[in-house]
Amino acid sequence: MYQALYRKYRPKTFADVVGQLHVTVTLQNEILSGRIGHAYLFIGSRGTGKTTCAKIFAKAVNCRHVESGNPCCKCEMCGEIDSGEAMDIVELDAASNNGVNDIREICESTAFTPAKAKYRVYIIDEVHMLSAGAFNALLKTLEEPPAHVIFILATTEVHKIPATVLSRCQRFEFHKISAEDIAGRIDYVASQENASITRDAAFLIAKISDGAMRDALAILDKCMGTAKNVTADLVADTVGLASGEQIFLLMQAILRQVPQDALTAIGEFDRCSKNMTRLAFELISGFRDVMLIKTLKDAKKLMVASDADFSKLQGLAKDVALETVIFIMDTLQASFEKMSRGCDAKMELEMCVIKLCAPQLNYSNEALVSRIDELERKISGLASGIKPERIPTGRGSKAVKDEKLAKELAPEQERAKTVEGKGSKAVALEDIGKGADSRQYAAGVMDKGNGSKQITVQAVEKKTDVPFEKAAVDNQEAASSSTFSVDMTVLHKNAQRMENWAEVLDVLKGYSRTVATAFKGSDAYISGDFVLIDSKNEMAFELLRKSSQRDKIRDAIRSVTGRAYKLGPYSAGDDANSNADNSRQVADPLSDLAETARRLGIDVTEV
């Protein structure tokens, strides 16, 4: 009888287990030292080796000839456990045997000594499925079992297990297996089965399996039933996926807002019987990769992609704003959830793509924010290279016509716009400083009537959030001086943890799940008028540099606290270095502007 690959190649020793070295080494050391516990809890997602390690451990503690903490797999006891004939190794599926009576039978049987083995081992899989009564029946025996009994509990949902059970077990967490490890194992299995598999196909299987070795071997098994030479196209056809090139073209059509190409692609996918729900998930994954590329310096280590695919995604990322990517992911995620609830998947995906290709048809808050972000980006780009005669005019005022003067007044690092003046030509300049000293300056260009011009410049207080750098200040006197000191310790000294930060993140999910996910695991501190955010996720601070995302955070904080706060970064390291010199000098743009005017022969008076 044919045996599935994931069963045929199930590891027999700890040395054969892939991607769980932190677990296997610890268990081997316990066996070698004789420090064997009475209850173990194996936690992890599906297909990561929980039950496999439980069986290996059961063999190792009963093996007659242990080798470096591994079972010998040669003695009679190892053979009986591998074949499932050992009476002293009891496996229970809690998904179907979850009642009080099932657990009571186990507890009663612990009183009997092992028939042949050294230890009687009970492996309870999917233990979180036990009823409340069953957990209570297990507690006493689990806490003080006989010396010859070992319990091994395995679960994928640890949050459903009572704390009273957790406290009685040694806890081991199984990680998702990396794409490299899965691809290597698949290549080995294929070679053992006299088949071949390309590198792209191995990594595609690893990506689909999402860290589960069992799923990966099941996909390989299905592909090898079709052909002995497994390629990426064969994998895609076997599991009903669109190819990487097709996904890329669909993403490109969405970003370029060409609905005809996008709908044609979806129609072709449907004709080939591709799963629409899976296609939506692949699109979300693709745009996630684009988001990582735009956010992280070394994004490839968090992605499962070949060098060619990574280069294509980099090309897409160059021409799209981060806000747009997040909006696309949110929209696709909403449609994906609708598909999962049973609506017409093809129609829902087509409607979603139309909304993404024609934003004017989407009236959601996220769509409006995305359109505003796009306009701001275009205006910001125009500000750096705008022609003087196209500088917008304010009510009753005139645009600057002197191209040489306007070019000096609107360098690349400044935004320029005309404002209303009393019979004069006026230009408002905003100093786009990266430090906390960002201020706004008003420059009036006045024709004195005798052929000369006079510029009057005045610093105007500008209230902004604290920039997400290493400095922050709330100093009114500094706003009027040419240079000043910035010290983060002023804010950190009296910072107190924000107890309801979790509620803020819950509210933020209503605005954008993607943004809320970026702040998962973060903390916040309140100091005066500031909320200082502490996060190890680099993406969180990248999002907060965007005005639209920052506004969402402020709105979420206001809805929870009822008060408007400014935002800033929190760095515990700054407290330890409070005696260091945190000052920095900021060049005064007034002096530069005045000097430029003097070079043009214009009389300058500072006010």
Side-chain angles (χ1 to χ4, degrees):
M1 181 178 178
Y2 179 75
Q3 191 174 27
L5 291 181
Y6 76 86
R7 293 183 59 196
K8 184 177 181 180
Y9 290 94
R10 170 172 273 175
K12 303 295 184 182
T13 66
F14 289 122
D16 296 334
V17 177
V18 177
Q20 307 297 346
L21 194 63
H22 63 291
V23 173
T24 56
V25 169
T26 304
L27 293 177
Q28 285 177 268
N29 289 336
E30 288 193 3
I31 293 170
L32 290 173
S33 63
R35 298 174 59 88
I36 299 174
H38 66 275
Y40 295 84
L41 178 63
F42 291 171
I43 303 166
S45 57
R46 70 186 192 283
T48 53
K50 299 184 298 298
T51 305
T52 296
C53 284
K55 291 183 176 180
I56 295 173
F57 188 74
K59 282 197 301 181
V61 296
N62 289 303
C63 181
R64 303 289 193 269
H65 311 287
V66 177
E67 301 173 356
S68 301
N70 284 298
C72 68
C73 297
K74 299 176 182 178
C75 65
E76 182 182 0
M77 197 69 239
C78 288
E80 290 184 3
I81 294 175
D82 282 337
S83 62
E85 297 174 358
M87 296 179 59
D88 297 317
I89 309 301
V90 180
E91 291 188 54
L92 178 70
D93 179 18
S96 55
N97 302 279
N98 53 13
V100 176
N101 291 333
D102 298 313
I103 298 301
R104 186 177 290 123
E105 288 180 7
I106 289 179
C107 295
E108 291 174 354
S109 67
T110 60
F112 299 99
T113 57
K116 197 171 185 180
K118 182 180 179 181
Y119 290 97
R120 221 176 150 81
V121 182
Y122 295 90
I123 302 173
I124 305 179
D125 205 4
E126 301 299 332
V127 69
H128 64 273
M129 299 291 288
L130 291 180
S131 64
F135 272 123
N136 290 332
L138 180 64
L139 279 179
K140 189 61 179 177
T141 303
L142 191 65
E143 182 177 21
E144 298 178 357
H148 58 268
V149 171
I150 298 174
F151 282 97
I152 303 179
L153 315 180
T155 180
T156 56
E157 300 183 46
V158 66
H159 60 279
K160 294 184 178 180
I161 299 179
T164 50
V165 173
L166 294 176
S167 64
R168 288 165 167 79
C169 301
Q170 288 189 31
R171 178 169 171 168
F172 290 86
E173 297 191 10
F174 286 69
H175 301 162
K176 285 187 176 181
I177 304 172
S178 68
E180 290 77 10
D181 289 339
I182 290 179
R185 182 67 174 176
I186 288 174
D187 187 61
Y188 167 78
V189 172
S191 65
Q192 294 295 308
E193 294 293 314
N194 297 319
S196 63
I197 183 170
T198 64
R199 182 174 176 81
D200 287 345
F203 271 92
L204 179 57
I205 291 176
K207 183 177 181 180
I208 297 170
S209 61
D210 192 26
M213 183 66 74
R214 182 174 62 240
D215 291 0
L217 290 175
I219 294 172
L220 177 64
D221 203 354
K222 191 175 181 181
C223 292
M224 288 173 54
T226 304
K228 286 293 185 180
N229 183 23
V230 181
T231 63
D233 290 338
L234 176 60
V235 174
D237 290 340
T238 301
V239 299
L241 286 180
S243 67
E245 182 64 25
Q246 291 173 316
I247 292 293
F248 175 80
L249 292 175
L250 182 53
M251 292 173 62
Q252 198 173 51
I254 291 174
L255 291 177
R256 292 179 178 177
Q257 297 186 351
V258 185
Q260 299 89 339
D261 291 351
L263 292 177
T264 301
I266 292 176
E268 183 64 20
F269 293 144
D270 185 60
R271 187 184 69 80
C272 297
S273 300
K274 303 297 183 184
N275 188 300
M276 293 291 109
T277 303
R278 182 72 195 188
L279 176 60
F281 179 79
E282 289 296 312
L283 283 173
I284 295 172
S285 298
F287 282 109
R288 169 197 176 261
D289 291 342
V290 174
M291 177 182 68
L292 293 178
I293 291 173
K294 292 195 68 67
T295 306
L296 304 176
K297 294 180 180 178
D298 186 13
K300 192 172 182 180
K301 63 183 181 181
L302 296 180
M303 298 166 53
V304 181
S306 64
D307 293 339
D309 289 341
F310 184 72
S311 298
K312 291 179 180 179
L313 291 170
Q314 281 183 313
L316 288 181
K318 289 180 181 178
D319 301 324
V320 61
L322 182 60
E323 296 88 344
T324 302
V325 177
I326 293 175
F327 163 66
I328 292 173
M329 291 178 65
D330 280 337
T331 306
L332 285 170
Q333 182 66 34
S335 294
F336 177 77
E337 291 176 356
K338 290 181 181 179
M339 296 178 195
S340 302
R341 291 196 293 266
C343 69
D344 188 316
K346 180 186 176 184
M347 185 181 299
E348 178 60 37
L349 186 58
E350 287 175 336
M351 290 173 60
C352 176
V353 167
I354 288 294
K355 290 178 181 178
L356 294 175
C357 291
Q360 64 272 19
L361 300 179
N362 192 342
Y363 300 103
S364 67
N365 292 334
E366 292 79 6
L368 295 175
V369 169
S370 178
R371 292 167 65 184
I372 292 172
D373 287 338
E374 183 66 17
L375 289 173
E376 288 180 346
R377 191 168 65 91
K378 290 180 179 179
I379 292 172
S380 178
L382 289 173
S384 61
I386 192 169
K387 295 182 180 180
E389 61 270 17
R390 295 184 63 189
I391 296 178
T393 59
R395 183 179 58 188
S397 62
K398 299 179 180 180
V400 177
K401 297 297 183 182
D402 189 328
E403 293 189 12
K404 187 174 182 181
L405 175 61
K407 185 176 181 180
E408 295 290 343
L409 293 179
E412 288 187 356
Q413 74 272 21
E414 297 176 339
R415 296 176 184 173
K417 61 180 180 177
T418 57
V419 297
E420 181 181 2
K422 296 181 180 179
S424 66
K425 302 170 185 176
V427 178
L429 298 178
E430 181 182 349
D431 179 25
I432 310 302
K434 292 184 178 179
D437 59 311
S438 300
R439 289 166 287 167
Q440 182 172 307
Y441 301 91
V445 183
M446 300 183 62
D447 193 338
K448 298 179 66 177
N450 55 2
S452 64
K453 298 177 181 178
Q454 180 179 3
I455 299 177
T456 58
V457 183
Q458 183 174 5
V460 182
E461 178 186 352
K462 178 186 177 184
K463 296 182 179 179
T464 66
D465 283 334
V466 178
F468 280 78
E469 295 181 346
K470 287 283 187 179
V473 69
D474 188 16
N475 190 325
Q476 299 299 329
E477 295 180 359
S480 61
S481 62
S482 59
T483 62
F484 59 96
S485 297
V486 178
D487 192 354
M488 278 295 284
T489 58
V490 174
L491 293 177
H492 287 179
K493 185 176 181 181
N494 298 318
Q496 296 183 351
R497 183 183 295 273
M498 187 176 184
E499 299 298 338
N500 48 6
W501 178 242
E503 298 178 33
V504 173
L505 296 183
D506 287 338
V507 174
L508 189 59
K509 289 180 182 178
Y511 296 115
S512 170
R513 293 195 175 189
T514 304
V515 175
T517 301
F519 286 91
K520 185 177 181 180
S522 64
D523 285 320
Y525 300 83
I526 295 178
S527 179
D529 293 333
F530 289 93
V531 169
L532 307 177
I533 299 175
D534 181 18
S535 176
K536 296 181 180 179
N537 190 346
E538 184 180 340
M539 187 187 305
F541 295 105
E542 182 67 27
L543 293 174
L544 280 168
R545 292 188 181 98
K546 308 298 181 181
S547 60
S548 59
Q549 313 304 336
R550 205 162 54 240
D551 290 341
K552 291 178 180 179
I553 292 288
R554 279 198 296 256
D555 291 343
I557 294 174
R558 187 184 297 112
S559 67
V560 173
T561 65
R563 178 180 173 184
Y565 284 98
K566 301 174 184 178
L567 301 180
Y570 181 86
S571 176
D574 289 332
D575 293 336
N577 300 321
S578 59
N579 294 325
D581 181 12
N582 293 318
S583 300
R584 64 177 179 178
Q585 301 296 319
V586 182
D588 188 1
L590 298 180
S591 300
D592 294 341
L593 181 60
E595 181 62 28
T596 299
R598 291 191 185 96
R599 289 201 306 269
L600 295 174
I602 301 173
D603 182 24
V604 177
T605 301
E606 294 189 6
V607 295

